[in-house]
Amino acid sequence: MPKYRIAWLPGDGIGVDVLKATKIVLDKVGLDAEYVHGAIGWDFWCAEGDALPRRTIDLLHNVDAALFGAITSKPIKDSQKELSPSLQSKGLTYRSPIVRMRQLFDLYICLRPCKAYAGNPLNFKEAIDLVVFRENTEDLYSGVEFSPVPAELAETLERLSKPFEPFSRLPHDQYAISCKINTFHGSERLVRSAFEFARKFKRKKVTVVHKANVVRASDGIFFDAAKAVAKQYPEIQMDDANVDAMTMWLLKNPFNYDVLVAPNLYGDIISDLCAQMVGGLGFGCSGNIGQKLAVFEPSHGSAPKYAGMDKVNPIATVLAAKMMLDWLGETQMGISLEAAVAAVIKEGNVRTYDMHGSHSTTDMAKAIAAHLP
Ligand code: NAI
Ligand code: MG
């Protein structure tokens, strides 16, 4: 019996291309695993009314990790139109499968390493090496939203909050409320994972990104939790920055930063910025990590215009597979895989279109595989 059971979730569009390519690399690195295909994505929404069918959730309960490609999401009206006619009148609403996986399996860490590999023509600066820890289940992404705003909520807010008054005078369908919910527990465990990472990999500094001077309540609790955790790691420097200033400072001097930790929305934005500094969508990888399950993925979407063309860069997904190897404890394989990626980038002989080359997805995967022992 293979040592590991991995859920294999290609999803839509180029998700299929990049997972196919990554399989070439994983086979060469020799991971002793059974890869079990899981249904996920747009086709399953259209045919079954569920982009993350029950059988896939069951599968995820019985694997060591998952590798996920990408999914297509469309606006509500389009999603209703494309639903199979027999399902049209059932009142189904499309829900993002990746958001659901994060919530169902409490994948509270979104880990996004952003490293500039030497020789990548897309590097903003050479030698950038940042790691972003983004909270993955709370904050503005809690899913607690009101539009139109129910009268009882408006009345309560008017009673409890002075600054709410001008809004309450508006018709209830003329404003909307999205709740930013941050818990001490949720913030604390995320920040702890960032400090644990820093300790394990001898990183010097953890920067807490927030806006606690304005968003006092919810960012305040995040920052308080961060300060409490930091005390327990005296060997690691902690500093903090407002999220807006952070975007400027990151561009001005990325070398001042090391590990970054942030609530969901700020983490989403900051990690895209960091990914762009090290090559963009073809290089950005992430891990959605919980206590029992972790789902690894490239950060890009399904890029429908390139679907099935064997054209896009598979490096983001190969690096996501490297993160998966690390998480499984196959550290040596992870090191070999990253070294192979770094070597191919440095040599510069095989480059996909985003790197100003003309090689295919498969060419890139084969080149990486060829550098593995
Ligand atoms: P996208 O990330 O799919 O693609 C945007 C553009 O980036 C592409 O047209 C392409 O030029 C480039 N690109 C993306 N991946 C690349 C790669 N591996 N190599 C080289 N170039 C690459 O974003 P877009 O077009 O906004 O969204 C397309 C669909 O993907 C939408 O339905 C969206 O909802 C979904 N999406 C899904 C995500 C996920 O599965 N986690 C994340 C982001 C978007
Ligand atoms: Mg994003």
Side-chain angles (χ1 to χ4, degrees):
M1 217 170 89
K3 190 169 174 191
Y4 301 107
R5 197 157 187 257
I6 308 292
W8 195 253
L9 313 173
D12 302 315
I14 60 164
V16 177
D17 303 46
V18 292
L19 249 66
K20 197 170 144 204
T22 302
K23 185 71 170 31
I24 296 173
V25 178
L26 279 172
D27 285 346
K28 184 72 191 290
V29 86
L31 184 69
D32 181 15
E34 178 197 3
Y35 299 96
V36 190
H37 187 277
I40 191 168
W42 195 252
D43 291 347
F44 299 94
W45 160 253
C46 298
E48 303 176 23
D50 194 349
L52 182 68
R54 183 76 239 173
R55 59 188 180 281
T56 308
I57 297 171
D58 293 341
L59 167 67
L60 288 169
H61 278 291
N62 289 294
V63 292
D64 298 293
L67 197 67
F68 167 57
I71 38 114
T72 297
S73 298
K74 296 186 187 177
I76 291 184
K77 272 194 189 143
D78 295 336
S79 67
Q80 291 304 331
K81 254 189 266 162
E82 290 186 36
L83 203 51
S84 130
S86 62
L87 298 169
Q88 296 264 352
S89 57
K90 297 213 162 152
L92 300 166
T93 40
Y94 179 83
R95 287 184 295 161
S96 158
I98 183 70
V99 173
R100 280 182 68 208
M101 281 195 283
R102 286 172 189 157
Q103 287 169 350
L104 279 169
F105 293 92
D106 198 19
L107 307 175
Y108 63 94
I109 303 167
C110 180
L111 173 57
R112 289 184 70 175
C114 299
K115 194 189 273 191
Y117 291 98
N120 183 353
L122 304 175
N123 286 340
F124 173 61
K125 286 181 180 164
E126 292 291 328
I128 291 174
D129 185 4
L130 297 160
V131 178
V132 183
F133 278 78
R134 161 189 169 193
E135 202 289 321
N136 220 12
T137 58
E138 309 192 332
D139 199 60
L140 258 184
Y141 296 54
S142 307
V144 183
E145 301 198 281
F146 302 93
S147 173
V149 177
E152 53 186 320
L153 178 62
E155 282 155 22
T156 308
L157 288 173
E158 194 180 3
R159 190 159 45 79
L160 296 180
S161 163
K162 191 106 190 90
F164 186 71
E165 238 178 59
F167 303 112
S168 66
R169 280 183 231 128
L170 296 169
H172 291 173
D173 60 352
Q174 292 299 303
Y175 66 105
I177 295 178
S178 301
C179 296
K180 174 165 155 64
I181 305 176
N182 300 75
T183 67
F184 192 89
H185 168 70
S187 308
E188 200 256 346
R189 63 181 181 171
L190 190 259
V191 177
R192 184 173 303 286
S193 62
F195 275 91
E196 281 295 320
F197 177 94
R199 178 174 274 172
K200 184 169 173 195
F201 294 102
K202 307 223 171 342
R203 297 278 184 151
K204 291 194 173 55
K205 185 163 88 170
V206 174
T207 303
V208 182
V209 183
H210 61 84
K211 187 79 185 181
N213 56 338
V214 178
V215 191
R216 289 169 198 273
S218 49
D219 282 356
I221 217 167
F222 186 86
F223 193 26
D224 285 348
K227 284 184 281 196
V229 171
K231 281 201 190 105
Q232 296 158 34
Y233 298 82
E235 80 277 21
I236 299 159
Q237 191 195 336
M238 182 201 109
D239 68 359
D240 72 287
N242 283 331
V243 60
D244 47 346
M246 194 66 210
T247 58
M248 289 196 294
W249 288 333
L250 267 173
L251 279 181
K252 193 168 174 205
N253 194 355
F255 306 111
N256 277 352
Y257 300 97
D258 192 342
V259 177
L260 308 172
V261 63
N264 208 335
L265 176 64
Y266 310 148
D268 197 4
I269 295 166
I270 291 284
S271 59
D272 272 11
L273 173 61
C274 292
Q276 189 57 40
M277 292 197 288
V278 300
L281 289 171
F283 294 83
C285 55
S286 63
N288 303 279
I289 301 170
Q291 292 297 344
K292 291 201 187 113
L293 179 70
V295 179
F296 298 91
E297 57 166 333
S299 307
H300 61 72
S302 62
K305 68 178 174 189
Y306 295 129
M309 289 171 65
D310 196 26
K311 182 176 169 88
V312 297
N313 193 346
I315 287 180
T317 316
V318 172
L319 291 173
K322 184 254 181 223
M323 294 177 76
M324 182 177 82
L325 294 172
D326 290 345
W327 194 75
L328 292 170
E330 297 292 349
T331 315
Q332 200 47 53
M333 285 186 191
I335 291 171
S336 306
L337 190 48
E338 187 179 23
V341 170
V344 171
I345 293 172
K346 193 167 193 175
E347 287 168 11
N349 298 326
V350 177
R351 286 178 171 177
T352 44
Y353 84 95
D354 55 317
M355 302 169 80
H356 317 305
S358 57
H359 290 90
S360 71
T361 310
T362 311
D363 292 338
M364 179 58 88
K366 285 186 175 161
I368 296 167
H371 278 78
L372 287 162

